Amino acid sequence: PAILLGGVLQAACLGGQDSVTPLVAILYSTIVNVVGDYLLVNVFGMGLQGAAIATLAAQLVATASLVGPARRRLVRDHRFDILKKRPATADTVTGRAFLA
């Protein structure tokens, strides 16, 4: 799930002509993955499980580092009002009218 959201946010930033933010997110992700792999695999001896945990942490860091900049640059009023109920207008099709 983190990589899916990260990919969408990365594509949205690139679509908004911001190529620096995804690059920084990938840099953070790479640093976390390399350090996490070294610590979890070599120092703590966790093997494949340690590599998986480090990769997951890197994906979460990349996604988290994209959320703020994407929200500031791409959302017009800096709020996510997707679930906010909008007032009905004359051209609004309601569920009841659609099914009638």
Side-chain angles (χ1 to χ4, degrees), residues 17-78:
Q17 297 181 354
D18 176 20
S19 60
V20 174
T21 302
L23 180 67
V24 170
I26 290 172
L27 177 69
Y28 290 158
S29 174
T30 302
I31 291 170
V32 168
N33 199 8
V34 168
V35 171
D37 278 341
Y38 176 75
L39 288 175
L40 294 175
V41 174
N42 293 332
V43 175
F44 295 114
M46 294 180 69
L48 187 60
Q49 291 176 344
I53 292 170
T55 301
L56 176 64
Q59 291 175 354
L60 291 172
V61 165
T63 301
S65 65
L66 284 170
V67 169
R71 184 176 179 202
R72 279 192 301 276
R73 294 174 191 222
L74 300 174
V75 179
R76 189 175 311 140
D77 59 357
H78 302 293

